[in-house]
Amino acid sequence: MTRIKALLWDVDGTLAETERDGHRVAFNRAFEACGLPWRWDEARYGKLLGIAGGRERLWHDLQTRDDAPVLADERSALVASVHQKKNAIYAGLVRDGGIPLRPGVMNLLRQCREQGVRMGIATTTSQVNVDALLRVHLGASWADWFSVVVCGEDVRHKKPDPEVYQRAMQALGIGPLECVAIEDSPGGVAAACALDIPVVVTQSAYFADATIEGAVAIGPGLGERGGWRPALRAPSFAGEGVNLDDIRAWCSQMDTISQYE
Ligand code: XBP
Ligand code: MG
């Protein structure tokens, strides 16, 4: 691993717990607003998260329902209108303060700015959802924090396909061993690992028990120093979360491990 030049952030589950209390709730309200009887409880939504992308997720669910439109055109139109409504409702939930950044995220974002480590967004969510979330937490000029923002609309294939990471690296003009991905889901980790990008996994509500392979580190969240594998050294002051030096150390351990394989 050479010097870390950029941190690539996943959005949903990583920057914030957007799925259970954001997208899921917004989908259910959109179903209601569209006069549809369907609702996704937490467990059902957790299963559906295996499908990346809100529109694709809904399309997949409709295939299991006998009260969904049969004609492909009608089904597509329904998916498009529910998804658009869902995103508008999601933006409202975020604006109302319902979706805070996860602990430790703001700290690491600030450290990157201070230390000249560039940042990118690498997500399969829609641009409007990224804008809604980051506008609330980083202000109207949120895009200034990031050198590249790659969203669902920017790729032909969503995670676990690596395209989103490929595009982010291309835009930054860096190679896989010059960046680190921060992810929460098996699909996101697979996307980054497919390109040999080192991945730090911050476990989210839905993927806390998921089997994840190939990460350089995995732990309960960026706001915590306990519970990480590999373990973190003692905090320099109480309450400190994961910092850039910790991430550099994990990545150099990875060097050592591969050197002796
Ligand atoms: C996670 C996703 C997203 C959201 C919904 O993206 O799968 O599709 O659930 O967003 P990531 P949209 O973890 O890569 O940020 O409805 O806008 O697709
Ligand atoms: Mg995620």
Side-chain angles (χ1 to χ4, degrees), residues 10-14 19 23 27 45 49 51-57 83 86-87 122-127 129 158-159 183-185:
D10 166 51
V11 173
D12 294 298
T14 296
E19 296 290 9
H23 292 295
F27 264 118
Y45 194 70
L49 280 179
I51 311 287
R55 216 178 288 116
E56 292 81 353
R57 193 168 296 141
H83 187 252
K86 183 277 283 183
N87 283 351
T123 176
T124 51
T125 200
S126 313
Q127 285 156 2
N129 297 333
K158 296 185 176 179
K159 298 172 187 174
E183 274 285 357
D184 71 306
S185 69

Side-chain angles (χ1 to χ4, degrees), residues 18-49:
T18 53
E19 296 290 9
R20 188 190 54 202
D21 307 325
H23 292 295
R24 184 187 71 86
V25 173
F27 264 118
N28 284 337
R29 291 194 191 162
F31 292 145
E32 196 177 354
C34 294
L36 297 162
W38 312 323
R39 301 293 180 268
W40 288 338
D41 63 20
E42 288 183 21
R44 173 76 186 139
Y45 194 70
K47 291 208 176 77
L48 288 169
L49 280 179

Side-chain angles (χ1 to χ4, degrees), residues 74-87:
E74 276 178 37
R75 199 176 276 209
S76 295
L78 181 68
V79 166
S81 80
V82 170
H83 187 252
Q84 196 179 22
K85 194 163 264 313
K86 183 277 283 183
N87 283 351

